[in-house]
Amino acid sequence: MAHPVFPLADLRRLAALPRAAAPMEPNGHLADSLGRPLRDLRISVTDRCNFRCSYCMPKDVFDKSYRFLPHGALLSFEEITRLARVFVAHGVQKIRLTGGEPLLRKDLERLIAMLADLRTVDGQPLDLTLTTNGSLLARKAQALKQAGLRRITVSLDAMDDGVFRRMNDVDFPVAEVLRGLEAAERAGLGPIKINMVVKRGTNDQEILPMARHFRGTPMVLRFIEYMDVGATNRWRLDDVLPSAEVVRRIDCEHPLQPLSAAREGETAQRWAYRDGGGEIGVISSVTQAFCRDCNRARLSTEGQLFLCLFAHQGHDLRALLRSGASDAQLAGTLAAIWQGRDDRYSELRGALDAAPATAAAAAPRVEMHYIGG
């Protein structure tokens, strides 16, 4: 009988994983060193994207010669589902599929159906959602819903077609994304959220046109501060438009009032139009860090577990999976990783920038296209 052979690199990464005291049976209650529970898992299903947005995958870096991960390096749908089951047993209630552009992953509907069968420790269906640039949504929305996807978030950075084409840098028209949103709404993939990354001097003039377009609809528009994720987007603090300014601009035309958070660990501050025209959200990772409530883990497309969006390195769960580990061993290792978590980059950003450089600090942060936003 043939025995599986695993690459030496995988074995080295396996040895670097935190050691669990013993295999364990999860009980749905897992907290990190700062008392933050594990509730939200974001799974990147591909590192590829068909857009070249400057704040994520600038074309001069991610050009035709850029080498993306080979298919054999990716976690299979069965491996993703097995890991997701262990995360859910530890208390995860929400799974978000991301990329790259997740709709580029072939047969993604099959993975969605597999994840839709999972149940939380309380026996409830998962909050299963997906973030997309919307380019393929018009043709896939109905199939995604039928597979078991509950909600969708669409990235859209401008209503003006010229601005949008320049930002995606592949000349993709805004009308096609809007057509995808209509298809998602018809399919029942709601409530739909729209994410706009605001970059000062690039698209901040689109704040009010975006607000006007989605005001009075069931869709929730969220404005995200331009973040220093990765090492390729040439981030500068001067390019950040604070969320407070976004709220001020909209409030001047359509008065707003604050809303309470919908759930623990929510990243967006919510604001409602006073006349009942719906709500917006602002995500202020740069100017108003929310690390203290962060309950999210991120799994890369090749099985690296990252505990922070701004992390330098991950934990290789693929090596553990392919070494023949039992579910109890997976659960024990995951518990050891999460219990040791103390990440709070955004809260410490200023101090970290001012601190003397170290080898760890000098290491490039993981790119957003690799682990999703």
Side-chain angles (χ1 to χ4, degrees):
M1 179 178 177
H3 295 283
V5 177
F6 301 101
L8 182 60
D10 271 359
L11 295 178
R12 288 175 177 173
R13 291 175 179 175
L14 180 61
L17 284 170
R19 293 290 183 181
M24 67 174 294
E25 189 69 32
N27 61 10
H29 302 287
L30 185 63
D32 69 10
S33 66
L34 301 177
R36 297 169 294 188
L38 176 58
R39 292 288 182 266
D40 185 329
L41 176 63
R42 303 187 175 194
I43 303 174
S44 177
V45 295
T46 179
D47 61 334
R48 299 170 187 264
C49 186
N50 53 349
F51 283 9
R52 287 297 178 268
C53 303
S54 61
Y55 59 79
C56 183
M57 296 181 70
K59 188 180 285 185
D60 59 341
V61 176
F62 299 92
D63 57 15
K64 292 181 179 179
S65 64
Y66 184 84
R67 297 182 64 182
F68 291 97
L69 292 169
H71 185 75
L74 311 187
L75 290 180
S76 69
F77 291 167
E78 290 75 18
E79 289 173 324
I80 291 173
T81 303
R82 186 180 174 206
L83 282 175
R85 185 177 293 110
V86 175
F87 275 93
V88 169
H90 273 308
V92 161
Q93 299 169 351
K94 173 182 173 183
I95 290 181
R96 178 179 297 279
L97 300 179
T98 70
E101 170 47 49
L103 298 186
L104 292 177
R105 181 76 185 256
K106 186 178 179 181
D107 298 326
L108 184 66
E109 296 83 358
R110 186 167 70 87
L111 173 62
I112 290 171
M114 294 164 70
L115 295 174
D117 282 340
L118 300 180
R119 292 295 180 267
T120 69
V121 292
D122 297 325
Q124 300 300 311
L126 292 173
D127 182 9
L128 184 57
T129 182
L130 177 147
T131 297
T132 173
N133 62 28
S135 60
L136 303 173
L137 190 53
R139 72 185 77 164
K140 287 181 173 285
Q142 189 61 46
L144 295 171
K145 178 65 176 179
Q146 290 175 344
L149 191 69
R150 300 183 68 182
R151 299 188 293 111
I152 203 157
T153 297
V154 176
S155 299
L156 179 61
D157 296 327
M159 287 303 304
D160 181 88
D161 192 59
V163 175
F164 183 68
R165 288 175 188 259
R166 286 194 298 274
M167 290 196 72
N168 66 57
D169 209 13
V170 293
D171 205 32
F172 195 87
V174 71
E176 281 300 302
V177 178
L178 297 178
R179 197 163 69 89
L181 284 169
E182 292 170 359
E185 191 171 25
R186 286 195 305 270
L189 288 169
I192 297 171
K193 294 180 180 178
I194 314 296
N195 282 350
M196 176 184 177
V197 174
V198 180
K199 187 175 180 181
R200 188 194 296 272
T202 299
N203 68 332
D204 59 306
Q205 75 279 11
E206 289 295 296
I207 292 170
L208 284 173
M210 289 281 287
R212 292 172 191 138
H213 183 88
F214 292 106
R215 182 174 173 273
T217 75
M219 302 183 192
V220 178
L221 175 60
R222 305 193 303 179
F223 299 91
I224 303 175
E225 290 180 344
Y226 176 43
M227 293 184 289
D228 49 331
V229 180
T232 62
N233 65 3
R234 302 178 183 88
W235 182 88
R236 299 183 313 133
L237 185 59
D238 289 346
D239 293 329
V240 177
L241 186 78
S243 293
E245 172 62 14
V246 173
V247 172
R248 187 196 66 78
R249 291 190 192 184
I250 296 173
D251 183 64
C252 285
E253 181 171 307
H254 298 291
L256 297 167
Q257 60 188 15
L259 293 174
S260 58
R263 66 174 71 191
E264 182 183 3
E266 186 173 49
T267 58
Q269 294 177 320
R270 300 168 62 216
W271 294 82
Y273 293 109
R274 289 184 181 272
D275 64 1
E279 70 174 81
I280 65 165
V282 291
I283 299 175
S284 316
S285 177
V286 177
T287 63
Q288 299 179 56
F290 39 78
C291 302
R292 67 192 60 195
D293 296 323
C294 181
N295 55 19
R296 291 170 294 283
R298 291 173 168 84
L299 185 66
S300 80
T301 188
E302 60 173 344
Q304 294 284 323
L305 176 63
F306 291 87
L307 304 182
C308 178
L309 181 58
F310 303 95
H312 297 288
Q313 61 184 10
H315 303 274
D316 192 357
L317 298 187
R318 184 186 65 181
L320 192 60
L321 273 174
R322 297 181 181 179
S323 70
S326 67
D327 284 356
Q329 289 171 319
L330 288 172
T333 299
L334 176 55
I337 293 171
W338 188 262
Q339 287 166 345
R341 175 185 186 241
D342 61 1
D343 301 79
R344 50 194 188 101
Y345 170 83
S346 291
E347 287 185 349
L348 302 175
R349 179 184 279 106
L352 291 172
D353 288 343
T358 65
R365 289 189 292 271
V366 65
E367 298 293 338
M368 187 181 292
H369 80 281
Y370 181 68
I371 57 170

